[in-house]
């Protein structure tokens, strides 16, 4: 193949930023017209790209005689087709392909099919081409006609080149970067062939751990590929990926981060926080925890002391789409249909889980049980406080193995969700409905009010990205060495003016001003974010805005953003991020990499070596943490609806110690 030629025309979609890049080149060829001679395969491809550009985005040529241009391009294309047919008749597909310039690797095959020249390809010569240039497989597989004509040859090439073909198939069918509609597989390719390709790939030392992960988390139901890895291939892939991770990170490579918990006998305040590098250590007062072990205070500690839900009632564990940088979000391959975690969400999840384990052990050492407090909430408190009968819960008995505890707690989480679902629909809990209520997703549970949250609306991204994304060019002013993470933060930290930017960005800034997301000071003309922008930032950070506790001014701001299409109201019990996380942890139906904690104990997920193994213990506490989160969300909703159940006062006891304030000041200083 010849070198890349940057001057040649490539047809882009009208929505592509490069759509008009070759306008002048197009006009130059049109002006040359019939005097242009097709001398090479690259000339022929370029003429085809010219014709496609004129047909795809004719508005690009406003001010010119478009009809004449299309006629000229059509005549030139006829000449190109004659050249291609003559070329393939006098020489082979191999020579034609090797004369092609690199940028036309895919367009080469489009031209052959558009000219009907694929009929002149010899199967034997195509096999030779594939043996010399396996990199042409993606372009071939994108053309259904060629795949159908040369089924056997293409199948043979896929099998003979497992490293290349495996990554091609995984990328196209199992990762977010692929386009499953973009390629066609030979009909003769079998499931055994597919598994053989993948097994050979896994035996290759060059195998990519990202693709190994995609294999054992192969998306079921969402992929348009007729094949899926066999259990043998998935086991191989899981072991290979684990071995690769151990090799890369087992010797201390990578960034260590985490969250720890300490119950401090000397600490007076309920809660303190320290930082050790990238590890946060949360400390709790042993005096406080020991003094109040009644069921009500235990549940209040879960709500207000442990980091399971925040002050707005949002669960802390879910990952949010925008909490990692744009660069990190694009690194690596992403398995199609996977639940995407990040360092921040992993730390929050680890903290919640560790706090529940530590608090549970502490209560047991004092003769109390966290599980009994949760049972009390359902079996006693909901009826006494909210006058709602029918909530029931029965958690594992003392002395049961960790395996038996795992088997029993999953159905109880579902029982809690079903009870709430029946109540939210019928206004009371009727036990006769339980057999007929199906529970598939936490996202199906409705709130008791029509407006519980405000979430992203249809126009959210186009405005929020400009304000909050680190990839928006408004974050970077010419001639300034700003350290802001986004335009919103830049306006908060320093004086910003429209004149700081190149003229091409001024329209965007004025659009933000017109949308009342930014304002200009009447005297200094400095830009600053508005309360509307503050509200939008909350939705960007948390995936939702809680309407509970917002004053009339705050609700008016939300309403204005909803009216403008930037936000929309949600009537669900859980935010989209919360329900996604709960589905990811609880069942297997939603995400290709689901933890499926309920399903793994319903469907014999593994052989039993030790019913009290650390694996079962860890799974139990993870499910217990989920149950606490669900319980707190239900309680908050019942409290908000009935006006009862609020924590009216706090015992005269310090809540935070000064370590919390010190850490906040330290983190704030680090951002400057």
């Amino acid at each position: 193949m010849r070198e890349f030629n940057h001057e040649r025309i490539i047809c882009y979609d009208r929505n592509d930023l490069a759509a008009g890049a070759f306008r002048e080149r197009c006009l130059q060829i049109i002006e040359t017209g019939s005097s242009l001679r097709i001398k090479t395969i690259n000339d022929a491809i370029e003429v085809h790209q010219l014709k496609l550009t004129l047909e795809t985005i004719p508005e690009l040529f406003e001010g010119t005689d478009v009809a004449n241009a299309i006629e000229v391009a059509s005549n030139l294309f006829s000449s190109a087709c004659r050249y291609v047919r003559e070329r393939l008749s006098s020489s082979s597909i191999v020579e034609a392909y090797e004369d092609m310039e690199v940028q036309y690797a895919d367009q080469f095959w489009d031209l052959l099919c558009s000219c009907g020249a694929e009929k002149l390809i010899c199967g034997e010569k195509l096999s030779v081409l594939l043996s010399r240039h396996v990199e042409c497989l993606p372009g071939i597989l994108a053309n259904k006609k060629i795949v159908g004509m040369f089924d056997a040859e293409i199948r043979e090439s896929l099998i003979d080149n497992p490293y290349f073909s495996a990554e091609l198939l995984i990328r196209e069918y199992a990762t977010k970067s692929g386009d499953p509609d973009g390629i066609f597989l030979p009909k003769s390719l079998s499931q055994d062939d597919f598994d053989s390709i993948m097994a050979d790939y896994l035996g290759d030392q060059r195998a990519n751990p990202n693709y190994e992960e995609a294999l054992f988390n192969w998306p079921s139901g969402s992929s348009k590929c007729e094949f899926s890895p066999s259990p043998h291939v998935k086991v191989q892939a899981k072991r290979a990926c684990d071995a690769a991770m151990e090799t890369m990170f087992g010797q201390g490579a990578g960034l260590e981060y985490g969250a720890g918990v300490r119950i401090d006998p000397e600490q007076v305040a309920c809660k303190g926080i320290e930082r050790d590098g990238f590890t946060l250590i949360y400390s709790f007062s042993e005096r406080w925890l020991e003094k109040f072990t009644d069921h009500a205070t235990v549940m209040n500690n879960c709500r207000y002391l442990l980091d399971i839900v925040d002050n707005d009632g949002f669960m802390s564990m879910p990952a949010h789409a925008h909490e990692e940088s744009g660069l990190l979000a694009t690194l690596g391959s992403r398995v199609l249909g996977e639940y995407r975690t990040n360092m921040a969400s992993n730390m929050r999840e680890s903290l919640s889980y560790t706090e529940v384990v530590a608090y549970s052990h502490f209560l047991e050492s004092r003769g109390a049980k966290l599980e009994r407090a949760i049972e009390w909430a359902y079996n006693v408190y909901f009826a006494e406080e909210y006058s709602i009968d029918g909530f029931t819960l029965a958690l594992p008995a003392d002395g049961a193995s960790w395996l038996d505890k795992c088997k029993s707690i999953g159905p109880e989480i579902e029982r809690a969700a079903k009870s709430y679902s029946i109540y939210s629909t019928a206004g009371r809990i009727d036990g006769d409905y339980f057999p007929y209520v199906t529970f598939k997703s936490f996202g199906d549970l409705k709130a008791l009010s029509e407006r519980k949250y405000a979430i992203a609306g249809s126009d959210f991204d186009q405005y929020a990205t400009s304000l909050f994304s680190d990839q928006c060019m408004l974050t970077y002013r010419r001639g300034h060495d700003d350290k802001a993470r986004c335009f919103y933060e830049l306006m908060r930290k320093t004086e910003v003016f429209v004149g700081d930017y190149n003229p091409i960005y001024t329209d965007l800034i004025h659009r933000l001003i017109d949308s009342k997301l930014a304002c200009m000071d009447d005297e200094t003309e400095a830009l600053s974010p508005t309360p509307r922008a503050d509200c939008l930032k909350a939705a960007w950070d948390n995936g939702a805005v809680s309407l509970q506790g917002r004053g009339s001014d705050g609700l008016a701001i939300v309403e204005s953003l909803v009216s403008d299409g930037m936000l929309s109201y949600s009537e669900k019990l859980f935010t989209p991020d919360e329900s996604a996380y709960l589905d990811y942890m609880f069942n297997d139906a939603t995400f290709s990499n689901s933890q499926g904690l309920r399903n793994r104990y319903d469907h014999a997920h593994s052989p039993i070596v030790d019913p009290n193994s650390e694996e079962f213990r860890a799974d139990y506490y993870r499910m217990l943490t989920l149950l606490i989160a669900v319980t707190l969300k239900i309680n908050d909703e019942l409290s908000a609806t009935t006006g009862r159940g609020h924590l009216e006062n706090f015992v005269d006891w310090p809540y935070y110690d000064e370590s919390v304030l010190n850490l906040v000041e330290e983190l704030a200083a680090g951002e400057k």
Side-chain angles (χ1 to χ4, degrees):
M1 295 174 67
R2 300 183 183 276
E3 292 184 358
F4 198 108
N5 188 335
H6 294 275
E7 296 182 359
R8 295 275 194 186
I9 299 169
I10 294 178
C11 177
Y12 293 102
D13 182 81
R14 60 159 37 91
N15 296 319
D16 197 301
L17 293 176
F22 297 100
R23 181 178 184 276
E24 296 305 317
R25 175 68 173 172
C26 290
L27 293 174
Q28 178 186 347
I29 295 178
I30 291 169
E31 184 177 349
T32 304
S34 59
S35 62
L36 179 69
R37 294 290 177 264
I38 309 295
K39 299 179 180 179
T40 69
I41 191 67
N42 299 294
D43 293 339
I45 299 173
E46 184 173 33
V47 165
H48 185 217
Q49 294 299 299
L50 166 66
K51 178 174 179 289
L52 292 175
T53 301
L54 283 162
E55 293 171 349
T56 304
I57 40 177
E59 64 270 22
L60 191 62
F61 302 94
E62 290 181 359
T64 64
D65 189 345
V66 178
N68 177 67
I70 292 176
E71 182 181 355
V72 170
S74 297
N75 292 334
L76 289 173
F77 179 64
S78 296
S79 299
C81 289
R82 283 195 299 272
Y83 172 85
V84 172
R85 288 192 289 267
E86 292 171 0
R87 176 69 187 270
L88 292 182
S89 297
S90 61
S91 62
S92 75
I93 186 70
V94 179
E95 285 79 7
Y97 185 85
E98 291 182 342
D99 281 344
M100 179 194 68
E101 294 166 352
V102 172
Q103 78 278 0
Y104 283 151
D106 293 332
Q107 290 80 358
F108 175 84
W109 303 101
D110 293 336
L111 173 63
L112 296 189
C113 290
S114 297
C115 293
E118 74 282 353
K119 300 173 185 176
L120 301 174
I121 301 174
C122 169
E124 182 180 347
K125 292 297 184 181
L126 183 66
S127 293
V128 173
L129 174 64
L130 287 169
S131 67
R132 291 188 190 179
H133 300 284
V134 67
E135 74 278 359
C136 73
L137 260 176
I140 292 176
L141 293 176
N143 287 272
K144 187 176 183 179
K145 189 183 298 185
I146 295 178
V147 173
M149 292 176 61
F150 303 101
D151 184 289
E153 291 83 358
I154 296 171
R155 171 183 176 272
E156 181 181 3
S157 180
L158 287 168
I159 295 172
D160 289 347
N161 298 280
Y163 178 80
F164 186 90
S165 56
E167 293 204 341
L168 170 63
L169 295 174
I170 295 170
R171 183 170 58 251
E172 291 296 324
Y173 288 112
T175 72
K176 291 184 177 181
S177 60
D179 178 11
D181 292 327
I183 65 171
F184 304 90
L185 297 181
K187 292 184 178 180
S188 61
L189 191 72
S190 67
Q191 177 67 50
D192 288 342
D193 294 334
F194 180 88
D195 287 331
S196 174
I197 290 170
M198 297 306 169
D200 288 345
Y201 173 73
L202 293 171
D204 194 310
Q205 292 184 347
R206 299 170 294 170
N208 188 325
N210 289 322
Y211 289 149
E212 292 169 344
E213 181 182 8
L215 271 177
F216 68 77
N217 284 323
W218 192 267
S220 60
S222 59
S223 173
K224 295 185 179 180
C225 182
E226 61 184 290
F227 307 116
S228 61
S230 66
H232 175 67
V233 169
K234 287 187 175 183
V235 169
Q236 275 189 289
K238 181 69 167 63
R239 290 172 177 171
C241 185
D242 289 345
M245 292 298 101
E246 177 62 28
T247 299
M248 284 191 284
F249 300 111
Q251 303 303 317
L255 177 66
E256 292 188 8
Y257 64 91
V261 174
R262 180 176 67 248
I263 296 178
D264 191 339
E266 303 299 325
Q267 181 174 305
V268 176
C270 294
K271 192 171 186 176
I273 305 176
E274 298 176 8
R275 185 172 73 159
D276 181 9
F278 290 99
T279 298
L280 292 177
I281 301 173
Y282 289 69
S283 58
F284 299 97
S285 167
E286 181 178 314
R287 301 183 200 178
W288 167 264
L289 298 181
E290 190 171 45
K291 185 175 180 63
F292 301 100
T293 58
D294 59 282
H295 294 330
T297 305
V298 168
M299 293 308 299
N300 277 333
N301 284 342
C302 289
R303 174 63 177 86
Y304 300 104
L305 200 59
L306 305 188
D307 296 273
I308 298 175
V309 297
D310 65 14
N311 292 335
D312 288 323
F314 292 134
M315 287 172 53
S316 63
M317 296 87 82
H320 305 300
H322 305 296
E323 62 185 343
E324 59 182 343
S325 70
L327 176 61
L328 287 177
T330 60
L331 292 177
S333 60
R334 306 301 175 192
V335 179
L336 189 66
E338 73 174 350
Y339 181 81
R340 178 76 182 277
T341 63
N342 56 66
M343 185 173 75
S345 68
N346 289 339
M347 286 188 66
R348 295 194 301 268
E349 182 184 51
S350 175
L351 174 63
S352 298
Y353 163 76
T354 305
E355 286 179 344
V356 167
V357 173
Y359 192 33
S360 177
H361 289 176
F362 177 84
L363 289 173
E364 288 181 21
S365 70
R366 300 308 192 269
K369 291 282 290 185
L370 181 55
E371 289 88 342
R372 302 293 85 81
I374 300 171
E375 285 179 331
W376 167 84
Y378 286 92
N379 300 336
V380 178
Y381 179 73
F382 287 169
E384 291 184 351
E385 185 69 23
Y386 305 124
S387 301
I388 302 174
D389 296 320
F391 276 106
T392 59
L393 203 72
L395 292 178
D398 297 346
S401 69
W402 292 117
L403 174 61
D404 288 336
K405 288 183 177 183
C406 288
K407 289 179 179 179
S408 62
I409 193 173
E412 294 308 301
I413 296 174
E414 185 169 341
R415 190 188 316 279
K418 276 190 174 184
S419 300
Y420 174 83
S421 177
I422 294 171
Y423 177 76
S424 66
T425 302
R428 65 189 185 93
I429 301 175
D430 187 335
D432 290 339
Y433 280 82
F434 273 77
Y436 309 106
V437 174
T438 58
F439 178 72
K440 295 181 179 179
S441 169
F442 287 91
D444 294 334
L445 299 179
K446 291 186 177 182
L448 300 177
S449 62
E450 293 183 356
R451 297 181 175 183
K452 182 170 179 61
Y453 308 110
I455 59 176
S458 57
D459 295 332
F460 177 81
D461 284 337
Q462 64 171 302
Y463 292 100
T465 300
S466 300
L467 284 167
F468 314 125
S469 172
D470 61 354
Q471 299 302 295
C472 178
M473 293 308 296
L474 295 180
T475 310
Y476 313 101
R477 297 184 294 169
R478 61 184 180 183
H480 292 78
D481 185 24
D482 296 316
K483 304 297 183 183
R485 291 173 291 187
C486 62
F487 183 52
Y488 173 89
E489 183 180 287
L490 183 64
M491 290 189 289
R492 284 267 181 233
K493 292 176 63 174
T494 187
E495 288 191 329
V496 181
F497 304 93
V498 175
D500 293 338
Y501 296 91
N502 289 321
I504 59 174
Y505 299 117
T506 57
D507 285 347
L508 177 55
I509 295 174
H510 284 295
R511 187 175 69 168
L512 294 175
I513 294 173
D514 293 341
S515 301
K516 298 180 181 180
L517 296 170
C519 61
M520 183 184 298
D521 187 271
D522 292 336
E523 295 182 1
T524 66
E525 296 187 346
L527 298 170
S528 60
T530 65
R532 276 165 57 95
D534 298 338
C535 185
L536 216 60
K537 183 66 161 60
W540 175 272
D541 289 341
N542 301 311
V545 176
S546 176
L547 303 185
Q548 184 67 31
R550 298 183 76 89
S552 57
D553 291 344
L555 293 175
I557 290 173
V558 172
E559 176 62 30
S560 71
L561 291 168
V562 171
S563 298
D564 291 340
M566 299 181 203
L567 294 178
S568 62
Y569 289 118
S570 170
E571 58 177 10
K572 302 297 186 179
L573 176 64
F574 298 102
T575 70
D577 288 352
E578 290 173 340
S579 60
Y581 174 79
L582 289 168
D583 286 346
Y584 158 73
M585 293 294 292
F586 194 66
N587 56 53
D588 292 329
T590 308
F591 298 99
S592 58
N593 62 334
S594 288
Q595 298 296 296
L597 292 177
R598 163 70 189 274
N599 291 9
R600 72 173 57 181
Y601 292 99
D602 281 353
H603 305 297
H605 184 268
S606 63
I608 305 302
V609 177
D610 177 7
N612 282 306
S613 71
E614 178 59 29
E615 176 188 1
F616 298 143
R617 174 184 175 276
D619 281 352
Y620 174 73
Y621 279 114
R622 292 166 79 191
M623 284 193 275
L624 185 62
T625 304
L626 294 183
L627 176 58
I628 294 172
V630 170
T631 304
L632 296 180
K633 293 288 291 189
I634 291 175
N635 181 69
D636 281 1
E637 185 68 1
L638 298 178
S639 177
T641 303
T642 62
R644 309 174 197 168
H646 299 293
L647 185 63
E648 296 180 357
N649 52 58
F650 193 71
V651 177
D652 187 16
W653 196 290
Y655 187 55
Y656 286 126
D657 70 8
E658 63 180 17
S659 67
V660 177
L661 177 61
N662 292 339
L663 180 61
V664 171
E665 292 177 346
E666 179 185 342
L667 294 175
E671 292 181 355
K672 295 180 180 179

